[in-house]
């Protein structure tokens, strides 16, 4: 009966969102700015990789090893960032990591060898990974206060920033050197960090006593700490399965259209752009989807949709059918990663975000090389079906653990 009374109290007193609070609105704008800046800067770096490759004189193998520095630095600092967020607060770590990312983006064009490039990319990757964990942790705290599942909107800002960064980079690539371009991006990044960081410093991270107290009380009494850690890993595995698809599509989607379906370069680029646009649109509508159907159903539906879309995209006999499949896959994958990270944060706090992010980004690292090896053995279309397979696995895991998605969220999903 005491438990039922607590549930009834939560349902009757905490249903109304707090999004009208100006303090929370300013925090949401600031955190959204960091997500958009992260995508913008990273895309700006990516489009200059060919120029930096030519500058360093690296061959494809040496460049591949150097680019691993981004991944290695990111993974290495993700777990450390979780501890830093617990000690110094996610707002302070977000601001510091964003400044480090903006400063480190000027380093790659200053290098003249693959070895030097790999070393500076370790620094860039460390800042990138740290920012991703810190700003996701800040977002989780804000979501708890807003009592609305708005995590997809933050990741939509990342996607929009990435599309803008890639588009702008393509426009200026012929007129600006990589050094000038990335220096301008660094200046812009520092300006955004100064403005948005001031909001984070002025407005401390919100605390929701109801959820925090219940979690703290239940762990020692019911022995749920081990179960909570397992749930965080489960959410990380869901994120991994879908990040695998994002990484694979970024590196191999356009090549599949040109190599296997005889598409021209412009059509192939448009095929991946359709995938990216569908992901962005899916994330913009993600909050409404989660509010309407709940996190568990959204994950299951997303994984199932992505499975069907990637099977069509990989096996379709025409370019247009494959492009339609890519769009469907983008819609399906759009919200799985942000929902999984949000759930991990609700379960384990900043450390939960760090663990799930590390596991999840492992999928983005695993995807491109795994697709490459499989393509050599069985052909690229069949290799791309593994994206559909892992999306189905994500849906299966979400279905098997669907009861866990309601823990701590009775105010919204009951």
């Amino acid at each position: 009966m005491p438990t039922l009374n607590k549930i009834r109290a939560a349902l009757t007193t905490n249903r109304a969102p707090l999004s009208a609070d100006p303090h929370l609105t300013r925090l949401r704008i600031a955190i959204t700015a960091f997500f958009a800046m992260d995508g913008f800067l990273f895309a700006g770096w990516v489009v200059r990789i060919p120029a930096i490759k030519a500058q360093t004189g690296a061959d494809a193998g040496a460049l591949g090893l150097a680019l691993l520095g981004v991944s290695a630095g990111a993974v290495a600092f993700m777990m450390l960032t979780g501890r830093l967020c617990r000690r110094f607060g996610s707002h302070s770590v977000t601001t510091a990591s964003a400044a480090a990312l903006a400063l480190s983006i000027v380093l790659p064009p200053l290098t003249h060898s693959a070895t030097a490039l790999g070393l500076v990319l370790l620094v860039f990757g460390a800042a990138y990974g740290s920012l991703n964990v810190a700003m996701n942790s800040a977002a989780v705290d804000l979501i708890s206060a807003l009592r609305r599942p708005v995590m997809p909107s933050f990741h939509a800002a990342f996607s929009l920033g990435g599309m803008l960064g890639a588009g702008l980079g393509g426009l200026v690539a012929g007129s600006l050197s990589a050094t000038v371009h990335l220096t301008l991006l660094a200046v812009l990044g520092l300006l955004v960090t100064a403005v948005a960081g001031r909001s984070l410093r002025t407005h401390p991270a919100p605390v929701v006593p109801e959820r925090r107290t219940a979690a703290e009380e239940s762990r020692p009494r019911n022995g749920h700490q081990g179960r909570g850690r397992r749930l965080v890993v489960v959410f990380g595995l869901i994120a991994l399965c879908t990040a695998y698809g994002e990484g694979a599509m970024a590196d191999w989607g356009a090549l599949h259209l040109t190599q296997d379906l005889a598409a021209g370069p412009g059509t192939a680029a448009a095929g991946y752009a359709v995938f990216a646009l569908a992901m962005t649109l899916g994330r913009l509508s993600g909050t409404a989807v989660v509010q309407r159907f709940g996190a568990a159903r959204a994950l299951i539906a997303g994984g199932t949709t992505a499975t069907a879309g990637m099977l069509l995209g990989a096996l379709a006999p025409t370019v247009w059918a494959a492009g339609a499949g890519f769009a469907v896959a983008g819609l399906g994958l759009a919200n799985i990663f942000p929902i999984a990270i949000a759930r991990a944060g609700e379960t384990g706090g900043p450390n939960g975000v760090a663990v799930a992010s590390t596991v999840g980004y492992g999928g983005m690292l695993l995807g491109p090389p795994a697709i490459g090896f499989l393509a050599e053995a069985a052909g690229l279309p069949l290799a791309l079906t593994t994206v559909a397979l892992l999306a189905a696995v994500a849906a299966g895991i979400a279905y098997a653990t669907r009861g866990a998605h309601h823990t701590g969220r009775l105010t919204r999903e009951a």
Side-chain angles (χ1 to χ4, degrees), residues 183-206:
T183 299
L184 291 174
L185 293 188
V187 172
L188 180 60
L190 289 173
L191 287 174
V192 172
T193 300
V195 175
R198 185 174 183 274
S199 292
L200 294 191
R201 290 192 304 273
T202 304
H203 306 288

Side-chain angles (χ1 to χ4, degrees), residues 53-65:
K53 176 181 181 295
Q55 177 180 300
T56 59
D59 58 24
L63 179 65
L65 288 175

Side-chain angles (χ1 to χ4, degrees), residues 81-143:
T81 303
R83 292 192 288 271
L84 291 175
C85 286
R86 294 186 71 88
R87 181 169 182 179
F88 300 107
S90 59
H91 287 189
S92 297
V93 179
T94 296
T95 304
S97 299
L101 180 67
L103 292 171
S104 63
I105 202 173
V106 305
L107 298 177
L110 302 179
T111 61
H112 297 282
S113 70
T115 301
L117 178 61
L119 291 174
V120 301
L121 289 181
L122 282 171
V123 179
F124 178 75
Y128 177 73
S130 181
L131 177 58
N132 274 269
V133 170
M135 67 186 182
N136 274 291
S137 296
V140 167
D141 286 338
L142 181 61
I143 289 166

